């Protein structure tokens, strides 16, 4: 267990215990603490913010309903994220569609927020990277983003995805190598710039 | 990207990966940083990985708005309140530990219902809100639950009442004007934005005593696939005037137990039809099984017939269930399959490739019209022959070719529209000469078809000894610059039939005669040896003939 994981668990533990005893305020605090992280994961799966918000709500409803079953083997955050992932997949199945790369790229920062030295090639690079990330297999994409953007450990990622730590490492490695292969020119230019 | 690592830094790749992922220990980080100072390749790889991570942060930056957490907390609390209130009676009835007698259970349930109703009325009167259809019948759980009182800052009763009234108004307006519910969805989005649990409002509207309100809410629940509405839909299913709509909506809501409903509907044709409709659109696998079970039910023949039609309307999954029935000897199922045309080439191929179920695929192929079946067979002849067995398959194809009145038009149309399909069609017809030779003749004679196609047809006819030598000679001459091998085959056919002395128009007579003489000599040698001509020999002859023409 990493230090971050221990901290999260330690901080959540009293709130979880109080919530389990029926303290709604404690549960609200847990929701407020982890909703954003869960929402990011849900959005990556369902592809848009509205559906993601529905998934987040449903997630915490389920979390509350099953709080008695939470054994503390993982952190509260990864447990919630695992539930959110399953619900997001259910929602996708229900709608019988998968998010298009455009959906997945929804909410991306405007181009003028790029650094000036990247502005010239920013549009192409950004689009290429978005496309390359969107084209990754779902598990690889989620692993990469959870690792890089959310800063989760391999253990946490494995628990969220319901797999092993070594599998999570493999997903991450494959995602990185796929991106390197698909974005060869981008990397080359980056090396030249530096 | 391919980075030229030095021999000594191969081992640093893992270190780089761990370094970038933040998994490296302090000593490993130090070691890698020292290494990167000397190794340009590793340093470049490190910088690239960092740049990629930075970009990933940028493209995945989309964060929810500032009040997102508060909004989610409010909505979750409201939904939990609603669930807690609506789940209470069920808990009492279903708890096996209590072991109540049925009379005691009924009394307890009645007490609970009475208590809940009193609570609603008390809450509504206390809030001094104008009476509204929804307010007078709403389920507890809009923050006014007696079990878990909601704080005022989360649920304001007056605002809630206003929201409910507005919700009902918009819902009814949409229903009465037959407006698509997009207007309603826009309103819902606003409500959700303001932190109001739209699904909970919808559930309450479904249980409204006003049938119009309830029906509109049921329609919306179905359209929005509101899973939370399932208990309310089940209750609405008991109201005779809402039964059909509720059943249909239950079929749309993903995990609704519509399968069980079907069996209880045998006495009510309208409701049974609604349940059938519901099952048609229900994505669950057991819905399909329920339809199949109803279709097999010989004690209710009319219902079984309706179920077969419902299966056919479900598309390929339903087709597969019908095929299973037909394979078991159900002639009606086979007839429905034939009439509905639900089986197509894709279904047959899917059965062969994915399911590897040759028996069902054979039945599926039988239900296809001749034209579609022959087109499929032409494209996948060998695979199907392997799957179905050579003799049986050959007999089936022969029969189809014999009885297919529009075979000439079918083949010519296919060859005209897709010349690339010519090899498959010509091979099929040549494999079944008793029925296919006349069509090959027609193809050969059709000047509107591409020359390559006609030459191929001629070669096929020559191979099965059905080609007139004069036609073979003429076609060979035309085919010479196009396809030497085909021309050689056709010329061999002509040579064997004694056509060597004929003049070839437009060619040098002497050189042509010499070449033909040489070709004839070779053909004689083949006949004397009693062995078939090898392709290289034919090619050599064709080369000579081509030279003669040049």
């Amino acid at each position: 267990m990493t230090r971050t994981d221990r901290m999260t668990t330690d901080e959540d533990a009293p709130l979880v215990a109080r919530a389990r005893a029926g303290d709604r305020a404690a549960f609200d605090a847990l929701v407020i603490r982890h909703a954003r992280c869960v929402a990011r994961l849900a959005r990556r799966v369902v592809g848009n913010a509205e559906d993601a918000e529905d998934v987040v709500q449903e997630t915490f409803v389920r979390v509350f309903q099953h709080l008695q079953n939470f054994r503390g083997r993982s952190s509260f955050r990864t447990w919630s994220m695992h539930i959110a992932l399953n619900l997001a997949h259910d929602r996708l199945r229900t709608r019988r569609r998968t998010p298009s790369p455009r959906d997945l790229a929804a909410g991306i920062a405007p181009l003028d927020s790029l650094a000036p030295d990247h502005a010239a090639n920013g549009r192409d690079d950004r689009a290429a990277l978005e496309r390359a990330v969107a084209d990754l297999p779902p598990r690889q994409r989620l692993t990469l983003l959870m690792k890089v953007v959310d800063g989760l450990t391999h253990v946490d990622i494995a628990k969220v995805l319901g797999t092993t730590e070594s599998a999570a490492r493999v997903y991450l490695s494959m995602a990185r190598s796929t991106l390197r292969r698909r974005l060869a020119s981008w990397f080359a230019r980056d090396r030249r710039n530096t | 990207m391919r980075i030229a690592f030095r021999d000594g830094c191969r081992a640093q790749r893992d270190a780089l990966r761990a370094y970038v992922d933040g998994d490296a220990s302090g000593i490993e980080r130090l070691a890698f940083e020292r290494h990167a100072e000397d190794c340009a390749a590793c340093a470049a790889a490190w910088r690239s990985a960092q740049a990629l991570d930075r970009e990933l942060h940028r493209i995945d930056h989309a964060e929810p708005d500032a009040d997102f957490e508060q909004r989610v907390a409010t909505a979750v609390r409201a939904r939990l309140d609603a669930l807690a209130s609506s789940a209470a009676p069920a808990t009492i009835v279903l708890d096996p530990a209590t072991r109540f007698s049925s009379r005691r259970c009924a009394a307890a349930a009645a007490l609970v219902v009475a208590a809940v109703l009193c609570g609603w009325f008390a809450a509504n009167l206390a809030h001094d809100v104008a009476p509204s259809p929804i307010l007078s019948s709403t389920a507890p759980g809009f923050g006014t639950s007696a079990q878990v009182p909601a704080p005022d800052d989360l649920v304001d009763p007056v605002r809630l009442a206003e929201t409910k009234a507005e919700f009902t108004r918009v819902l009814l307006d949409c229903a009465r004007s037959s407006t698509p519910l997009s207007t309603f969805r826009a309103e819902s989005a606003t409500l959700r934005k303001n932190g109001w649990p739209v699904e909970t409002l919808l559930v309450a509207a479904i249980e409204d005593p006003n049938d119009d309100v309830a029906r509109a809410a049921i329609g919306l629940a179905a359209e929005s696939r509101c899973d939370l509405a399932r208990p309310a839909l089940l209750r609405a299913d008991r109201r005779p005037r809402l039964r059909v709509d509720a059943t249909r909506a239950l079929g749309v809501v993903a995990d609704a137990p519509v399968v069980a409903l079907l069996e209880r509907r045998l006495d009510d044709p309208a409701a049974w039809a609604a349940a059938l409709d519901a099952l048609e659109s229900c994505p669950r696998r057991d819905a399909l099984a329920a339809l199949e079970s109803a279709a097999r039910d010989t004690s209710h023949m009319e219902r079984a017939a309706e179920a077969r039609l419902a299966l056919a309307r479900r598309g390929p999954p339903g087709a597969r269930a019908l095929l299973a029935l037909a394979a078991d000897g159900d002639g009606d199922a086979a007839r429905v399959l034939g009439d509905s045309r639900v089986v197509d080439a894709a279904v047959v191929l899917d059965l062969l490739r994915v399911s590897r179920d040759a028996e069902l695929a054979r039945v599926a192929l039988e239900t296809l019209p001749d034209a579609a079946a022959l087109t499929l067979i032409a494209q996948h002849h060998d695979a199907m022959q392997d799957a179905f067995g050579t003799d049986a398959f050959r007999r089936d194809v022969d029969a189809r070719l014999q009885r297919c009145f529009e075979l000439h038009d079918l083949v010519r149309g296919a060859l005209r529209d897709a010349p690339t399909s010519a090899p498959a069609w010509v091979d099929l017809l040549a494999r079944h000469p008793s029925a296919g030779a006349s069509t090959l003749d027609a193809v050969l004679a059709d000047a509107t078809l591409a020359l390559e196609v006609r030459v191929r047809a001629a070669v096929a006819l020559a191979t099965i000894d059905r080609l007139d030598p004069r036609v073979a000679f003429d076609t060979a001459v035309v085919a010479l610059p196009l396809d030497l091998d085909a021309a050689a085959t056709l010329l061999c056919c002509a040579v064997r039939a004694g056509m060597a002395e004929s003049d070839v128009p437009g060619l040098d007579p002497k050189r042509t005669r010499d070449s033909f003489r040489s070709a004839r000599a070779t053909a004689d040698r083949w006949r004397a040896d009693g062995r078939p001509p090898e392709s290289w020999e034919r090619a050599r002859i064709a080369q000579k003939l081509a030279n003669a023409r040049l």
Side-chain angles (χ1 to χ4, degrees):
Chain A
M1 184 182 283
T2 64
R3 183 172 166 274
T4 315
D5 198 16
R6 243 189 336 262
M7 266 179 55
T8 310
T9 308
D10 291 344
E11 286 173 8
D12 287 342
L15 288 174
V16 171
R18 282 169 52 198
R20 199 181 275 175
D23 184 345
R24 290 291 186 90
F27 187 70
D28 282 349
L30 285 169
V31 172
I32 288 170
R33 182 178 290 179
H34 299 294
R36 197 162 285 263
C37 191
V38 171
R40 275 201 298 266
L41 176 67
R43 186 181 55 74
R44 286 169 195 154
V45 178
V46 298
N48 65 72
E50 288 182 1
D51 280 351
E53 186 166 337
D54 288 345
V55 169
V56 175
Q57 287 186 20
E58 186 62 28
T59 298
F60 284 108
V61 169
R62 298 281 178 96
V63 164
F64 187 82
Q65 288 172 331
H66 296 94
L67 206 51
Q68 301 300 332
N69 301 332
F70 178 57
R71 305 284 177 217
R73 291 192 196 117
S74 61
S75 68
F76 179 81
R77 181 174 62 163
T78 54
W79 185 58
S80 308
M81 289 174 76
H82 182 64
I83 293 173
L85 185 64
N86 288 337
L87 289 172
H89 283 151
D90 285 349
R91 179 161 286 247
L92 273 189
R93 272 195 293 274
T94 303
R95 297 196 166 181
R96 286 185 169 179
R97 71 180 186 88
T98 50
S100 64
R102 181 175 294 180
D103 285 340
L104 292 169
I108 283 167
L111 283 170
D112 54 10
S113 71
L114 289 171
D117 55 338
H118 284 83
N121 297 311
R123 189 183 299 270
D124 291 343
D125 289 347
R126 182 68 58 84
L129 182 58
E130 285 163 12
R131 206 163 40 247
V133 172
D135 286 344
L136 285 174
R139 288 196 156 217
Q140 289 182 28
R141 176 163 50 82
L142 289 178
T143 304
L144 179 73
L145 294 176
M146 280 194 283
K147 181 70 188 172
V148 174
V149 180
D150 298 339
L152 265 63
T153 65
H154 289 111
V155 178
D156 284 345
I157 293 170
K159 283 176 179 164
V160 173
L161 294 180
T163 184
T164 61
E165 183 187 349
S166 55
R169 286 182 188 278
V170 171
Y171 289 145
L172 183 64
S173 172
M174 291 171 73
R176 282 194 189 282
S177 60
T178 306
L179 285 187
R180 273 200 298 270
R181 199 170 56 250
R182 290 184 185 165
L183 301 171
S185 60
W186 184 81
F187 276 104
R189 186 161 56 242
D190 191 75
R191 277 207 307 281
R192 279 199 299 276
N193 289 339
T194 53
Chain B
M1 178 189 63
R2 173 87 41 200
I3 295 174
F5 286 97
R6 294 186 327 205
D7 289 343
C9 63
R10 293 272 172 197
Q12 296 293 338
R13 284 188 186 180
D14 289 341
L16 168 63
R17 200 169 293 134
Y19 190 94
V20 173
D21 291 343
D23 293 340
S25 66
I27 293 174
E28 288 168 343
R29 293 177 69 84
L30 196 61
F32 178 78
E33 284 168 9
R34 282 187 182 166
H35 171 79
E37 285 174 4
D38 295 336
C39 176
C42 284
W46 174 27
R47 281 195 299 271
S48 294
Q50 283 181 316
L52 175 63
D53 287 1
R54 276 198 306 274
E55 286 300 315
L56 285 172
H57 270 283
R58 284 184 187 155
I59 69 162
D60 196 64
H61 89 294
E63 287 283 330
D65 33 335
D67 62 342
F68 174 75
E69 288 92 342
Q70 197 59 48
R71 197 166 65 239
V72 168
T74 307
V76 169
R77 172 177 283 268
R79 288 179 62 174
L80 288 174
D81 287 344
L83 286 171
S85 303
S86 62
T91 307
I92 291 172
V93 174
L94 294 176
D95 184 5
T98 56
R99 297 183 185 281
F100 279 170
S101 68
S102 58
R103 191 174 296 175
R104 283 183 181 177
C105 284
L111 277 174
V112 170
V113 169
V116 170
L117 283 174
C118 287
W120 296 340
F121 282 118
N124 290 329
L125 289 173
H127 296 148
D128 194 21
V129 176
S132 131
I134 277 195
L135 283 179
S136 62
S137 68
T138 183
F142 289 92
T144 55
S145 163
Q147 296 170 338
V148 189
D152 290 340
D153 60 336
L154 286 180
V155 180
D156 176 355
V158 178
R159 268 190 68 200
L160 179 60
E162 290 170 353
T163 308
K164 287 177 192 167
E166 182 65 10
F167 183 90
T168 310
R169 186 188 64 73
V170 177
L171 190 64
L172 280 176
D173 283 351
C174 288
R176 284 174 186 151
S177 60
S178 301
T179 309
L181 287 169
S182 53
T183 312
F184 184 83
R185 275 199 291 274
E187 293 279 340
S188 298
T190 310
L191 289 173
R192 184 177 283 129
K193 210 74 176 171
N194 292 334
W196 292 106
V198 176
E199 289 82 0
T200 315
L201 292 168
L202 184 63
V203 168
I206 290 172
E207 299 192 307
D208 195 284
N210 182 331
D211 285 345
D212 292 337
V213 174
R215 192 170 288 116
I218 289 170
L220 180 64
E223 188 174 317
S224 58
R225 295 175 184 266
C226 178
D227 184 45
L228 200 69
R230 187 174 60 84
L233 287 173
L234 281 169
R235 284 191 286 276
D237 187 62
R238 297 190 197 110
R239 291 164 63 177
R241 295 179 62 182
L242 298 177
R243 202 176 187 190
V244 172
D245 295 283
T247 309
R248 195 168 289 132
L250 278 167
V252 176
V253 175
D255 65 346
V258 281
V259 177
L261 292 178
L262 193 65
E263 293 176 0
R264 286 191 263 131
R265 295 293 159 76
L266 288 170
D267 58 333
D268 182 346
W272 201 86
L276 213 55
D277 285 349
L279 286 176
E280 264 183 58
S281 53
C282 180
R284 290 176 15 157
R285 192 171 293 172
D286 54 356
L288 199 64
L291 281 178
E292 189 176 349
S293 169
R296 285 181 187 275
D297 186 0
T298 51
S299 61
H300 297 83
M301 296 301 286
E302 288 183 10
R303 300 276 190 269
E306 289 175 21
R308 285 189 201 102
L309 292 173
L311 278 173
R313 286 193 292 269
R314 276 197 69 134
R320 184 162 180 169
L322 282 171
L323 285 169
L325 288 171
D328 290 345
D330 186 338
D332 287 340
R335 194 160 48 252
V336 168
L337 279 170
D339 294 344
S340 64
R341 303 285 173 93
V342 66
V343 172
D344 56 12
V347 171
V348 179
L349 288 177
D350 194 54
L351 285 167
L352 278 176
R353 286 178 177 160
V354 181
S355 310
R356 299 184 184 282
D357 193 333
E359 180 57 20
L360 281 196
R362 188 188 59 75
V363 178
L365 187 63
E366 280 177 7
T367 64
L368 283 182
D370 285 338
L374 287 172
T375 304
L376 184 63
I377 289 168
Q379 290 166 348
H380 304 280
H381 184 278
D382 292 343
M384 289 186 159
Q385 184 168 277
D386 289 346
F388 301 143
T390 306
D391 293 340
F393 183 64
R394 186 174 187 80
R395 277 196 301 275
D396 183 45
V397 176
D398 268 336
R400 279 191 186 275
L401 288 169
Q402 295 280 5
R403 73 176 180 233
C404 184
F405 292 116
E406 69 273 25
L407 183 61
H408 286 11
D409 293 339
L410 173 69
V411 175
R412 285 158 69 185
L415 298 182
R416 193 174 297 127
D417 296 341
T420 53
S421 68
W425 274 110
V426 169
D427 286 351
L428 175 70
L429 296 170
R431 279 170 171 150
H432 302 273
S434 59
S438 60
T439 306
L440 283 174
D441 281 333
V443 169
L444 181 56
D446 188 346
T448 63
L449 292 174
L451 181 59
E452 295 91 333
V453 175
R454 294 168 61 202
V455 167
R456 184 175 282 275
V459 170
L461 283 167
T463 308
I464 58 176
D465 288 333
R466 294 291 190 95
L467 185 63
D468 182 277
R470 292 180 184 281
V471 177
F473 184 81
D474 293 342
T475 312
V477 169
V478 175
L480 266 176
L482 185 73
D483 184 345
L484 288 179
D485 198 45
T489 303
L490 293 172
L491 284 167
C492 286
C493 174
V495 165
R496 279 198 297 271
M499 288 288 300
E501 302 303 332
S502 300
D503 291 334
V504 181
L507 299 183
D508 181 318
K510 184 173 184 302
R511 298 184 68 183
T512 303
R513 199 178 305 120
D514 292 342
S515 294
F516 268 63
R517 194 169 295 134
S518 167
R520 184 176 190 177
T522 307
D524 287 343
R525 202 165 52 248
W526 289 339
R527 270 200 297 272
D529 293 347
R531 62 183 175 85
E534 298 292 338
S535 63
W536 67 269
E537 287 174 315
R538 281 185 283 126
R540 187 162 55 84
I541 298 301
Q543 184 68 50
K544 281 186 179 180
L545 296 176
N547 288 338
R549 189 185 182 206
L550 292 171

